[in-house]
Amino acid sequence: MTREELADSRGINRTVYQPAEDSRLLFEAVKKAGYGQLLEVGTGSGWVARRAALVTDVDAVYASDINPHACQVTKAQSEVDIGVVQSNLTSCFLEGVFDTVAFNPPYLPTDESAEWDDWMEQALSGGETGRKVIEPFLNVVGRVLNSEGIVLLVVSSLTNYEKVMNYAETRGFDHTKLIEESYPFETLTVVQLNNNS
């Protein structure tokens, strides 16, 4: 089966990540704990950001993605005012401006020699360990949080939950499990990270 046939069989838009169970869980976490100025990193189709703007009490919503197609889709489908920015993680944002940063990272462990090298692959692939994007995110997200800011992060058991949490601790974050659901091949957890420094 070609990658196009595989994508078609899954109903996947081959350029933009579409909402799935992990998206729903992140949105539930935003409803539960999100506040103030919210940034969704890696917004994909913008589903979480748009719903957050419509049905939560956050003050303002911003969405970013490295994928220009994702930014276009998010802007085109937004029923409300959302600031959409093409950005690699948090690189284009000022220091200390967000109360909440939400992220459903690419986390599927993949053989990097067999990657498709397209936008869909970037939306899914977490490299050999599943943590190729998670660790760089944890390295930089603290810069854009204000002193009371929080991170809402989707973590899959495929990435080794304990290793992700240990790494978060080395970057100055305490963690609390907000939501957890198990599926046949993985457990998904949304954690709240609080800056402890």
Side-chain angles (χ1 to χ4, degrees), residues 37-38 49-54 58-63 74-75 77-84:
Q37 304 286 321
L38 167 70
R50 292 192 324 268
R51 290 192 45 89
L54 286 169
V58 297
D59 297 334
V61 177
Y62 300 85
T74 300
K75 286 178 187 175
Q77 294 184 355
S78 290
E79 305 90 342
V80 293
D81 187 28
I82 294 174
V84 181

Side-chain angles (χ1 to χ4, degrees), residues 37-171:
Q37 304 286 321
L38 167 70
L39 168 64
E40 184 194 11
V41 173
T43 195
S45 69
W47 185 83
V48 172
R50 292 192 324 268
R51 290 192 45 89
L54 286 169
V55 301
T56 72
D57 293 330
V58 297
D59 297 334
V61 177
Y62 300 85
S64 70
D65 205 298
I66 196 170
N67 178 349
H69 306 289
C71 295
Q72 291 167 1
V73 167
T74 300
K75 286 178 187 175
Q77 294 184 355
S78 290
E79 305 90 342
V80 293
D81 187 28
I82 294 174
V84 181
V85 178
Q86 185 179 354
S87 175
N88 183 11
L89 301 175
T90 61
S91 62
C92 72
F93 297 100
L94 297 173
E95 291 185 21
V97 295
F98 294 109
D99 302 290
T100 307
V101 176
F103 190 29
N104 178 16
Y107 58 74
L108 294 178
T110 55
D111 176 356
E112 294 188 20
S113 66
E115 288 186 351
W116 300 343
D117 193 28
D118 62 13
W119 288 117
M120 202 60 218
E121 182 70 38
Q122 286 192 33
L124 297 171
S125 173
E128 189 175 324
T129 65
R131 299 185 298 276
K132 177 175 78 173
V133 179
I134 295 170
E135 290 176 354
F137 169 76
L138 291 171
N139 289 342
V140 299
V141 68
R143 183 185 67 81
V144 299
L145 288 173
N146 65 37
S147 60
E148 301 297 319
I150 64 170
V151 176
L152 303 175
L153 179 67
V154 176
V155 181
S156 167
S157 57
L158 299 173
T159 65
N160 190 321
Y161 177 86
E162 290 304 320
K163 285 191 176 181
V164 174
M165 292 304 96
N166 288 341
Y167 194 84
E169 288 175 9
T170 70
R171 306 314 299 161

